[in-house]
Amino acid sequence: MSGQQKVKVKTYLPARPLPPNSERKPILTERLVIRPYREEDLDGIYIIHRQPEPMKYTMRGRIDDDKTVTRENMAKYMPPNDLHTYSNVICLASTGEIIGTGGVSRPEQWFGWPEIGYLFKKEAWGRGYGTEFVKAMVSFWWTLPRAAVELEVAVETVDGPGEAPEMLAAMVEQSNIGSQRVLEKAGFREFRRWSEPDNREGRAGTIADVMGYAISSVGQKGYHVVASGGVPVLEPTDNAPV
């Protein structure tokens, strides 16, 4: 990201490495099962990755050419890479159908903070699944065990250098009104808009208009500091994820 100003802060993040997929329990909502990736998910995810409508908003910016490309993408979220990201397959609780993918990526990607992202097949749009997923994922994210860290983060997300509350960020294109509404319903607030050259395949000479969103850990259920050997660390409460 060009021209982004960052500032160093002391804060908290989920302790690394993250729990492996084999130890992660599904996150259950009224209509969704949010669970780790499996090898047998290839066909269901490939269906989504062949749809131009959702794929135009991804980092790839276009549909997958074949299942080999989809399999390579899935590998980013499966062992041993699962220790660095908390990414999931999103299924309908009623049928088990895969309708999307989503989760939280590594913190160094854009704004310094961990970043949530999601992708839903076009048939699932407009039914509230995106909001249901983001609210559940965010609620769960705050319950993971924490560790103290120093980070360089987007200057607009904090009051200045020094100690800062942990944030969870998201990036969305300005043309993606639906995704903006999902984030806002889940409690995210816009902190920046910018434009830069779009370097995705087939978009040479075009401009990407983008927005940054963030949500604070302050006041979030399940998020608190405890003392461990005199060193402040963060641990989950007994509250179950939404």
Side-chain angles (χ1 to χ4, degrees):
M1 184 186 305
S2 59
Q4 181 179 202
Q5 293 185 335
K6 290 189 174 181
V7 62
K8 182 174 287 188
V9 299
K10 294 181 179 180
T11 187
Y12 298 92
L13 287 181
R16 302 295 176 121
L18 293 169
N21 283 358
S22 60
E23 297 179 7
R24 299 179 189 177
K25 296 180 180 179
I27 302 170
L28 307 179
T29 71
E30 181 180 355
R31 300 181 295 171
L32 303 175
V33 175
I34 303 163
R35 60 162 177 78
Y37 279 72
R38 302 170 182 164
E39 291 286 353
E40 57 266 31
D41 295 330
L42 176 61
D43 288 345
I45 295 175
Y46 181 64
I47 290 172
I48 302 172
H49 284 207
R50 289 292 295 175
Q51 294 184 336
E53 294 86 351
M55 290 300 290
K56 72 177 181 180
Y57 292 119
T58 65
M59 291 302 301
R60 179 172 170 78
R62 58 187 295 270
I63 63 172
D64 290 356
D65 296 323
D66 50 43
K67 288 185 179 180
T68 299
V69 177
T70 306
R71 185 178 288 107
E72 291 172 352
N73 179 268
M74 290 174 58
K76 299 176 184 177
Y77 313 118
M78 300 179 70
N81 299 315
D82 53 332
L83 302 180
H84 307 292
T85 181
Y86 215 107
S87 297
N88 310 275
V89 173
I90 306 167
C91 306
L92 288 178
S94 58
T95 65
E97 177 190 359
I98 295 174
I99 62 168
T101 58
V104 179
S105 64
R106 291 178 293 179
E108 64 270 20
Q109 188 168 6
W110 295 109
F111 306 115
W113 299 111
E115 182 182 330
I116 191 169
Y118 42 88
L119 178 73
F120 284 87
K121 66 194 311 182
K122 62 181 181 180
E123 292 85 356
W125 290 7
R127 300 186 181 184
Y129 294 132
T131 302
E132 190 169 335
F133 163 74
V134 172
K135 286 183 175 180
M137 188 69 226
V138 170
S139 294
F140 174 80
W141 182 252
W142 300 131
T143 70
L144 290 169
R146 252 62 186 178
V149 296
E150 289 191 10
L151 295 175
E152 287 192 350
V153 301
V155 67
E156 302 97 329
T157 63
V158 294
D159 293 332
E163 295 185 357
E166 181 183 345
M167 309 289 284
L168 182 60
M171 185 171 66
V172 60
E173 294 187 45
Q174 294 181 29
S175 61
N176 193 349
I177 304 300
S179 190
Q180 294 169 38
R181 290 173 178 166
V182 164
L183 292 170
E184 290 164 2
K185 288 178 181 178
F188 284 76
R189 296 292 178 264
E190 177 189 342
F191 66 84
R192 186 184 183 206
R193 293 187 180 214
W194 74 98
S195 299
E196 63 182 22
D198 193 334
N199 296 319
R200 288 174 290 187
E201 183 179 346
R203 302 191 188 186
T206 65
I207 297 296
D209 298 312
V210 196
M211 306 167 67
Y213 279 83
I215 186 171
S216 173
S217 60
V218 174
Q220 296 288 346
K221 180 180 179 181
Y223 189 96
H224 72 292
V225 180
V226 298
S228 176
V231 179
V233 296
L234 288 172
E235 294 182 348
T237 68
D238 293 332
N239 296 325
V242 173

